[in-house]
Amino acid sequence: WCLAEAGSGAVSPVALFSVVWMLVPRFRGCLQLDAHEFLRCLLERLSTELGQSEGLVARHFQGLLSSRLTCRLCKHSSWKHDPFQDLSLDIPLDAPSGKSGAELSLSGCLERFFAAEDLEGREQAQCEHCSAKTPTTKQFFLRRLPNVLCFHLKRFRWQFGRQKLD
């Protein structure tokens, strides 16, 4: 991929897109693909082209997210650690009265993402300690931040079908 103009060290966005357009057929034409899909595709391709031994993409764009499940019956907690390249944040529908979607803050979306969530009914987990399928509390924690932290704002919500959020 030779994208930089001679001697400038800068990459032209048009040149970048034209290379991706040639290598990834789904970005050809006028389909409505969002920036999140483009970034994920670009990072995946860079990782493949540079090889896993280089690790450039992982070093700059990958963090570590931990999730804790706590059984509300026996209080036992289990942990899971997963690498991530972006955080997918919900845009809350229950914004404080008088606030439009444009006035919602990123910090508010992050607070919701990291808040403890009660899992009940069909979402209950089986506790590895007491072996019961019980109501559970789930919470995310950042273990390691990447150098470049990307946020994906979820523009769609599934509620009686797919709804696009304004």
Side-chain angles (χ1 to χ4, degrees), residues 12 22 40 47-49 57 72 78 107 112 133 159:
S12 160
M22 288 186 310
R40 295 296 300 231
S47 184
T48 301
E49 293 293 324
V57 172
R72 294 202 319 240
S78 60
S107 61
R112 289 176 59 99
K133 191 166 185 173
Q159 206 171 37

Side-chain angles (χ1 to χ4, degrees), residues 13-85:
V14 173
L16 175 65
F17 186 74
S18 66
V19 169
V20 172
W21 189 82
M22 288 186 310
L23 296 173
V24 186
R26 74 174 183 232
F27 286 103
R28 294 180 189 158
C30 297
L31 297 174
Q32 284 199 350
L33 298 170
D34 64 18
H36 180 248
E37 288 177 89
F38 182 79
L39 178 64
R40 295 296 300 231
C41 177
L42 180 65
L43 292 177
E44 182 179 310
R45 188 66 187 218
L46 278 172
S47 184
T48 301
E49 293 293 324
L50 295 173
Q52 296 303 326
S53 61
E54 176 70 25
L56 180 73
V57 172
R59 186 170 55 248
H60 291 288
F61 290 92
Q62 187 170 295
L64 189 63
L65 188 67
S66 296
S67 59
R68 178 180 66 194
L69 291 177
T70 303
C71 174
R72 294 202 319 240
L73 182 66
C74 74
K75 307 297 184 216
H76 175 75
S77 291
S78 60
W79 289 87
K80 184 178 177 188
H81 310 286
D82 293 303
F84 73 94
Q85 289 185 345

Side-chain angles (χ1 to χ4, degrees), residues 108-121:
C109 292
L110 284 167
E111 282 177 29
R112 289 176 59 99
F113 183 84
F114 290 108
E117 175 186 5
D118 291 331
L119 305 178
E120 297 178 348

Side-chain angles (χ1 to χ4, degrees), residues 78-94:
S78 60
W79 289 87
K80 184 178 177 188
H81 310 286
D82 293 303
F84 73 94
Q85 289 185 345
D86 56 57
L87 295 178
S88 291
L89 305 176
D90 285 319
I91 298 172
L93 290 176
D94 57 345

